[in-house]
Amino acid sequence: MINKSVSFLVRDTGTKEFHFKELNKIASSKAGEAGLLTLSISSNPFSFAAEALPSLWTSQPESCDEVFNQYFACSIAQYLKLHDTAALHNKMSSNIRSLEITQLPDGSWPWINGMKGDRDITGMICSGIGRLEEIHIYNAYTDRLRQMGIKAFGYLDSAMIKDYDAVLKNGGTKNEAHLTPDIVNYLYARTFWKVALGLKEAKAFYFWIEQAYNHTQNCNLMEKAMLVCALNREDEQGAANRLWRTIDSQSLLDKETGIYWKDMPDGPGFHERPIETVCMLIEAYNIILRTNMKPIEEMCSWLIQHKSGNAWPTNTETADAVYALLLRNNSLPATDNQIAISIGGQMEDLKPGASSSNDGYLIRTWNAGDKKPDLDHFKVENKSEAVEYGLFNLSYSAEYKEDKKMDFPMKMKKGIFVLVNINPVSQKYIQVNKKPEIKKGEIIVGEKTRIKKGGIITVRIELDVDKDIDYICISDSIPNGFDSMDDSSKWINKDGTDYTSKIQGSRIHFYLAHLTKGNHVIEYIIRATQSGTLPIGIATIKPYYAPEYERKTKPMKLKVKE
């Protein structure tokens, strides 16, 4: 399914007319008529975030940060009394126990349980704990969570000191720019925590704070917003204001789309995600601005528009969006929306939405098969002083395709090989910086190749990586009629590449924390268990936190005889 959304703002009393031509074109198409169209309106932007909370607490977390995000969502829902308290309590208890089990002796958390400690993931969890305390959300698990955070900063502080020592060792000085994404993440997380630093840690910490004062020229938009927040929490309001003015001076205003930045990052990397960037900008602007809320209102509207159905595209984006919108209003007051809606000249009645019965969240739905309204002529009459946030979302079949190709610095190819006259060892492994080659005792499997039942097959996935990239997930389907020769999950660090693999049902997954530029080969072995012409499944590869960059291999077939 494809989700297409447009958001709108109505600030002042009176009537405002909108012309959603592109969405109207899709909605009136055959695919659009078979889709689901929803109109949502609320004077409280957090209403749209409250609707997304169940997507976090009902998900099956795979990574440690997702486990924390589930706890984060449950904590907010419990605070706002949005769900069954006993169910939330049980979920949070499970999350806390999982975080305690997966935290490593040095204080770090891995990306996926079983891998080595990960600096980014550990920082994300510590930031999340700090965010809960920042908005004064506490519960029965707060003390246990805080103890884990204190332990984690033993690891993060040590990594920060190593970066500082490396600068000095290489002859660097405070007059040069040395900030890195790792250090920006650290400062953002560490400044939430009012935990005393030792003498050695403090010397290095304030070196990096001074870097944040004077040397942000190499930081992107998201990193600058993170540093505004960090400096403000460190009681450096003057420096925070100066950096915010730099960000604000580069903003532009468009009549249709509102506030935007030409240098908005847009890529698969951690600090290149537009949704997380806007979330961080909302946080930074919320810290600085005391009057003129219009830029924040416009960013909240942009954020609402980029929901994908009831939530945002990824677990991390949803958690960040929930926090950003919660900063605008951390309660759900009863409001009587004094608005009138007209679409195509016809008045429409909106009913209370499901996110909360008393938050002023109103919806109108057109189901599959319903004739969709004329979205090119949409009017909202606002009879109050409240700012109204609105969203049209159309969910429709993927047969209507948008021509958008994401630039992803990686190519993938899948090959099948028959092992001949050898006794294979069950294996799943990655070869780093190694070009694919036909090994001794192998033949390439083509469309006309036949193998015998019981034959051994090597599945080989070849990667050509244009630049270093983090957090990659490769998933392949084990074809019907074949059994994996290794059904265990394991963590491997081979040639410096940290990864884990596991089998779930008929699919095998590889999680790679980091891939360097170059050629990589992934292999695993399967055995034919039945005869016939059997389809070989499609393999996919995607950045875990940017699934829109997913790539797929072509389908294949293999003939197996008795």
Side-chain angles (χ1 to χ4, degrees):
M1 298 293 288
I2 295 174
N3 284 286
K4 185 73 174 179
S5 299
V6 292
S7 62
F8 56 91
L9 269 177
V10 182
R11 283 199 179 90
D12 305 314
T13 56
T15 301
K16 188 170 183 179
E17 185 169 2
F18 300 89
H19 304 280
F20 300 127
K21 294 182 182 295
E22 183 182 354
L23 186 63
N24 189 57
K25 181 179 178 181
I26 301 173
S28 60
S29 69
K30 183 178 179 180
E33 287 292 340
L36 175 68
L37 177 67
T38 304
L39 167 62
S40 311
I41 294 180
S42 178
S43 57
N44 185 349
F46 183 69
S47 300
F48 297 89
E51 183 184 47
L53 287 173
S55 73
L56 292 175
W57 75 57
T58 59
S59 64
Q60 295 297 320
E62 295 183 286
S63 61
C64 289
D65 58 298
E66 288 178 339
V67 173
F68 175 80
N69 287 341
Q70 192 169 78
Y71 172 87
F72 182 83
C74 291
S75 298
I76 292 172
Q78 185 185 61
Y79 172 74
L80 298 174
K81 299 178 175 62
L82 289 176
H83 195 66
D84 177 61
T85 302
L88 292 174
H89 178 82
N90 291 336
K91 185 72 72 173
M92 287 190 288
S93 176
S94 174
N95 296 148
I96 288 294
R97 184 61 182 145
S98 177
L99 289 170
E100 288 174 334
I101 291 171
T102 54
Q103 189 172 29
L104 300 175
D106 65 359
S108 66
W109 278 282
W111 174 34
I112 307 290
N113 187 24
M115 301 177 81
K116 66 180 181 180
D118 188 287
R119 190 172 178 179
D120 287 335
I121 299 301
T122 304
M124 287 170 65
I125 294 173
C126 288
S127 294
I129 300 170
R131 284 175 169 183
L132 285 174
E133 297 203 6
E134 184 83 354
I135 53 181
H136 309 295
I137 293 182
Y138 305 100
N139 55 49
Y141 304 101
T142 297
D143 288 343
R144 287 167 66 183
L145 195 63
R146 187 165 180 79
Q147 287 304 310
M148 284 188 275
I150 292 171
K151 181 179 178 182
F153 273 112
Y155 165 81
L156 292 173
D157 288 345
S158 294
M160 176 271 296
I161 292 172
K162 287 180 182 178
D163 289 350
Y164 168 69
D165 289 342
V167 169
L168 299 184
K169 183 178 180 180
N170 293 324
T173 70
K174 66 179 182 180
N175 299 320
E176 303 160 339
H178 301 290
L179 284 174
T180 65
D182 282 339
I183 289 297
V184 173
N185 284 340
Y186 170 80
L187 293 176
Y188 176 81
R190 192 64 169 85
T191 51
F192 276 116
W193 294 71
K194 303 305 180 185
V195 177
L197 290 161
L199 185 63
K200 185 177 181 181
E201 289 84 358
K203 184 177 181 180
F205 175 83
Y206 287 108
F207 172 85
W208 293 119
I209 286 291
E210 189 171 353
Q211 285 281 301
Y213 295 163
N214 302 315
H215 297 293
T216 60
Q217 62 267 31
N218 296 328
C219 297
N220 70 12
L221 186 60
M222 180 176 177
E223 290 161 352
K224 288 176 182 176
M226 294 175 77
L227 291 174
V228 168
C229 301
L231 288 167
N232 183 78
R233 286 194 291 268
E234 195 56 27
D235 295 326
E236 296 291 347
Q237 285 81 9
N241 273 275
R242 286 195 301 273
L243 184 53
W244 173 81
R245 284 195 293 270
T246 298
I247 295 172
D248 191 59
S249 68
Q250 296 167 351
S251 67
L252 300 168
L253 193 63
D254 183 88
K255 184 178 180 181
E256 298 297 325
T257 60
I259 192 171
Y260 71 99
W261 284 262
K262 280 187 176 181
D263 59 348
M264 174 71 75
D266 188 4
F270 244 21
H271 288 183
E272 299 175 334
R273 311 295 301 126
I275 289 175
E276 281 106 322
T277 298
V278 171
C279 291
M280 197 59 65
L281 286 166
I282 290 173
E283 186 177 349
Y285 271 67
N286 196 64
I287 285 171
I288 300 297
L289 292 182
R290 295 293 179 264
T291 59
N292 183 21
M293 296 290 105
K294 287 185 178 181
I296 299 177
E297 293 164 0
E298 287 170 355
M299 285 188 283
C300 287
S301 182
W302 183 96
L303 194 57
I304 290 167
Q305 175 171 325
H306 285 77
K307 286 179 71 177
S308 180
N310 289 334
W312 283 265
T314 70
N315 184 290
T316 303
E317 288 170 337
T318 299
D320 284 352
V322 165
Y323 179 70
L325 295 176
L326 190 60
L327 289 173
R328 297 298 304 132
N329 195 334
N330 65 358
S331 63
L332 295 174
T335 56
D336 181 16
N337 297 59
Q338 300 178 42
I339 57 172
I341 301 294
S342 169
I343 309 179
Q346 180 177 338
M347 300 303 293
E348 297 286 352
D349 290 328
L350 280 69
K351 300 184 182 302
S355 71
S356 176
S357 60
N358 69 339
D359 66 355
Y361 183 58
L362 302 178
I363 66 169
R364 168 72 164 91
T365 300
W366 292 263
N367 294 313
D370 292 348
K371 181 175 176 56
K372 302 305 186 286
D374 181 7
L375 302 180
D376 195 20
H377 297 88
F378 173 63
K379 292 183 180 180
V380 180
E381 181 185 2
N382 190 3
K383 301 176 184 179
S384 73
E385 297 294 331
V387 176
E388 296 289 343
Y389 296 83
L391 177 71
F392 274 109
N393 178 262
L394 178 64
S395 180
Y396 60 100
S397 171
E399 64 186 71
Y400 185 95
K401 294 183 179 179
E402 296 176 310
D403 184 21
K404 185 178 181 182
K405 186 175 181 180
M406 310 300 291
D407 183 22
F408 184 38
M410 185 181 295
K411 297 176 183 177
M412 178 173 64
K413 181 181 178 182
K414 179 177 175 179
I416 306 294
F417 302 83
V418 180
L419 301 182
V420 182
N421 298 326
I422 67 170
N423 185 20
V425 176
S426 176
Q427 55 188 323
K428 296 195 294 278
Y429 62 88
I430 296 178
Q431 295 174 290
V432 182
N433 289 325
K434 185 175 180 65
K435 292 190 175 181
E437 59 185 23
I438 306 300
K439 298 177 181 178
K440 184 178 180 181
E442 290 183 339
I443 61 172
I444 301 175
V445 175
E447 289 288 339
K448 296 182 180 181
T449 306
R450 289 176 177 266
I451 67 168
K452 289 184 178 181
K453 185 177 176 181
I456 306 299
I457 305 295
T458 296
V459 180
R460 184 171 300 157
I461 297 172
E462 304 164 8
L463 305 176
D464 183 6
V465 184
D466 294 339
K467 68 175 185 179
D468 291 7
I469 191 165
D470 296 325
Y471 308 112
I472 294 295
C473 179
I474 299 171
S475 179
D476 197 12
S477 58
I478 300 170
N480 291 333
F482 290 85
D483 283 343
S484 170
M485 295 184 66
D486 188 348
D487 60 2
S488 64
S489 298
K490 61 177 70 173
W491 168 77
I492 299 174
N493 186 300
K494 185 176 179 64
D495 299 327
T497 298
D498 185 30
Y499 80 97
T500 190
S501 64
K502 64 180 178 180
I503 293 176
Q504 291 179 316
S506 63
R507 294 194 71 82
I508 183 169
H509 306 279
F510 296 88
Y511 299 92
L512 296 88
H514 181 75
L515 271 181
T516 56
K517 179 179 179 180
N519 299 105
H520 306 267
V521 179
I522 297 175
E523 295 182 345
Y524 64 95
I525 294 175
I526 56 178
R527 184 191 302 272
T529 58
Q530 68 184 57
S531 59
T533 300
L534 306 175
I536 303 296
I538 294 172
T540 64
I541 184 171
K542 64 183 178 184
Y544 194 79
Y545 299 98
E548 67 271 28
Y549 288 85
E550 182 181 78
R551 292 292 183 267
K552 299 179 180 180
T553 59
K554 294 180 179 180
M556 304 167 64
K557 290 183 178 180
L558 188 61
K559 294 179 181 179
V560 179
K561 61 183 179 180
E562 288 288 347

